[in-house]
Amino acid sequence: MKRYDGLRVIASAIKDELVVVSLGDITTEWHSLRPGGGSLYLQALGSVTPVAMGIALELVQPGMLCFISLSSFSREVRREAGLQHV
């Protein structure tokens, strides 16, 4: 299964959940599957997880997804581990 196929399955399964999307190809793919509102596209490495976590903590009703690219994830893990310059 390719990433786009997985995103298609997720897009068909969700209703009004908020989706936070990182930069990269996933942004274009997700927008083509769910072009309406309800998606927050963050065009900055390392900011997706903290923003998504803050939103999730403030939501009254659960219902949020966060799509993060591998490079963003690697950067955030290194930052949290104190390995920014590795």
Side-chain angles (χ1 to χ4, degrees):
M1 177 185 283
K2 302 268 185 190
R3 177 180 60 207
Y4 189 79
D5 299 325
L7 289 173
R8 186 181 311 133
V9 170
I10 293 169
S12 67
I14 64 175
K15 295 186 179 14
D16 59 352
E17 290 86 354
L18 175 64
V19 179
V20 179
V21 184
S22 71
L23 73 163
D25 293 338
I26 195 168
T27 301
T28 305
E29 293 170 350
W30 185 251
H31 183 71
S32 73
L33 293 166
R34 193 171 176 205
S39 296
L40 175 62
Y41 299 95
L42 296 176
Q43 298 293 317
L45 279 173
S47 65
V48 176
T49 302
V51 169
M53 180 64 80
I55 292 170
L57 290 172
E58 291 299 317
L59 287 177
V60 176
Q61 295 180 339
M64 193 192 103
L65 299 167
C66 176
F67 297 131
I68 186 167
S69 67
L70 184 57
S71 60
S72 293
F73 179 74
S74 299
R75 183 183 197 115
E76 290 174 21
V77 168
R78 287 194 315 264
R79 184 184 66 223
E80 294 303 319
L83 304 171
Q84 295 94 327
H85 303 293
V86 175

